[in-house]
Amino acid sequence: MIVCKSPAELERMHAACALVAVVLTHLERSVAPGVTTADLDEMAETQIRAAGAVPAFKGYHGYPATVCISVNDEVIHGIPSRKRVLAAGDIVSMDVGAVLDGFVGDSAITVPVGEIGPQAHALLRVTREALYQAITRMQPGARVSDIGHAVQQHVERHGFSVVREFVGHGIGAAMHEEPQVANYGPPGRGPRLAEGMVLAIEPMVNMGKAGVRVLEDGWTAVTRDGSLSAHFEHTVAVTSNGPWVMTAREDEGFAEVLATLGLEAPEELESRWRKTTPSK
Ligand code: MF3
Ligand code: CO
């Protein structure tokens, strides 16, 4: 069953999501050569608890940390460690979830450490664009598989590959609700999107082949071929006015990216995606 949220519930979800966005912004600014992934995890946990919220991932099926931090060929679910020291040229994915007032927000970004090569840069850009393309499909009446179709088309057009083993998900009072949202496949399948549905859309994209495997720690997913991997995620509500990106960051700059994708009126789209009150 897909749980639709009332306007009042969407406002509460937005509070959890806005906190996640602030934490990710802080993490992004803190990434630098010499910083450990455990340092980043500590900052995030402190900030989440100071806001009266609780880390959503810690203890989830035994996950031991607040943030999933996945470097280079790590795809998702990397466990923060004192021994993992970031170096210039790395790409680092940070996935944050927080529970506030009974609702969960979930979002991820992948950012460069210092200077990175042009191919790595393209991987980050295309993965983020794929997420935005997917978000444009989140209109009432569209079908769930339209989202993954949009991701796959954009990613493969640029010569990268979509990870199949992990999916996006419905989200609300629980971190994982129905439906599952694959990042590939034909359009026009699955449930219809309706007002009040909230989905965490999270494309994972490899520079090389799509295959992944999970390390002996039971969590860290890495690319089989050792190629770089990127991950971007937003928690997005479906409203009568189109998608509402609840985890939008202050400095995210949707309009710039939307314009390069040839979408009309990017400024207007940007303000709609960021709306702070549900429509109607
Ligand atoms: N964004 C991820 C997800 O949707 C993070 C979960 S990590 C876990 O599943 F440790 F909590 F599983
Ligand atoms: Co998620």
Side-chain angles (χ1 to χ4, degrees):
M1 191 209 18
I2 302 177
V3 182
C4 288
K5 283 76 183 174
S6 69
E9 288 170 328
L10 290 181
E11 289 295 343
R12 289 166 64 193
M13 281 207 75
H14 181 239
C17 288
L19 171 62
V20 168
V22 167
V23 171
L24 274 176
T25 300
H26 183 220
L27 289 177
E28 178 173 18
R29 290 179 185 153
S30 305
V31 162
V35 171
T36 73
T37 57
D39 294 332
L40 296 169
D41 190 68
E42 243 168 57
M43 287 177 210
E45 179 164 9
T46 303
Q47 200 174 8
I48 287 169
R49 293 198 191 278
V54 174
F57 303 164
K58 203 167 201 174
Y60 185 86
H61 292 282
Y63 186 73
T66 294
V67 190
C68 296
I69 308 185
S70 312
V71 183
N72 294 336
D73 65 324
E74 296 171 354
V75 180
I76 51 167
H77 299 168
I79 300 173
S81 162
R82 290 255 150 259
K83 290 187 220 138
R84 191 75 197 235
V85 184
L86 298 178
D90 287 344
I91 60 171
V92 56
S93 148
M94 298 174 289
D95 188 346
V96 174
V99 190
L100 182 64
D101 186 25
F103 286 96
V104 188
D106 187 6
S107 183
I109 55 175
T110 305
V111 302
V113 185
E115 291 286 306
I116 60 170
Q119 273 287 95
H121 197 268
L123 178 71
L124 302 193
R125 177 179 58 81
V126 168
T127 307
R128 184 170 159 215
E129 287 171 354
L131 171 59
Y132 292 3
Q133 287 281 17
I135 290 170
T136 65
R137 309 303 152 95
M138 291 188 60
Q139 309 290 340
R143 305 283 285 267
V144 166
S145 84
D146 297 348
I147 294 166
H149 182 70
V151 169
Q152 183 178 21
Q153 277 211 316
H154 190 74
V155 167
E156 293 183 353
R157 182 183 307 136
H158 289 87
F160 299 131
S161 51
V162 170
V163 172
R164 310 294 206 261
E165 283 84 347
F166 301 97
V167 296
H169 48 95
I171 182 167
M175 177 161 67
H176 293 143
E177 298 185 353
E178 286 179 35
Q180 294 199 350
V181 185
N183 291 300
Y184 64 97
R189 313 276 170 90
R192 281 192 194 283
L193 301 183
E195 268 180 71
M197 286 185 186
V198 186
L199 304 178
I201 309 298
E202 46 180 322
M204 290 144 268
V205 177
N206 297 349
M207 190 178 282
K209 295 211 172 75
V212 303
R213 67 189 172 90
V214 174
L215 299 184
E216 305 70 50
D217 64 15
W219 283 102
T220 314
V222 300
T223 59
R224 281 189 180 275
D225 64 6
S227 68
L228 295 179
S229 188
H231 176 215
F232 282 81
E233 175 177 24
H234 270 310
T235 297
V236 185
V238 178
T239 80
S240 60
N241 203 18
W244 176 12
V245 184
M246 295 186 148
T247 43
R249 296 180 305 286
E250 191 92 52
D251 60 352
E252 183 157 355
F254 289 124
E256 248 172 279
V257 176
L258 292 169
T260 66
L261 294 174
L263 296 165
E264 293 160 56
E267 265 92 30
E268 194 211 315
L269 267 186
E270 162 130 17
S271 65
R272 261 192 280 142
W273 283 19
R274 288 176 183 287
K275 91 170 109 351
T276 49
T277 48
S279 56
K280 283 251 256 312

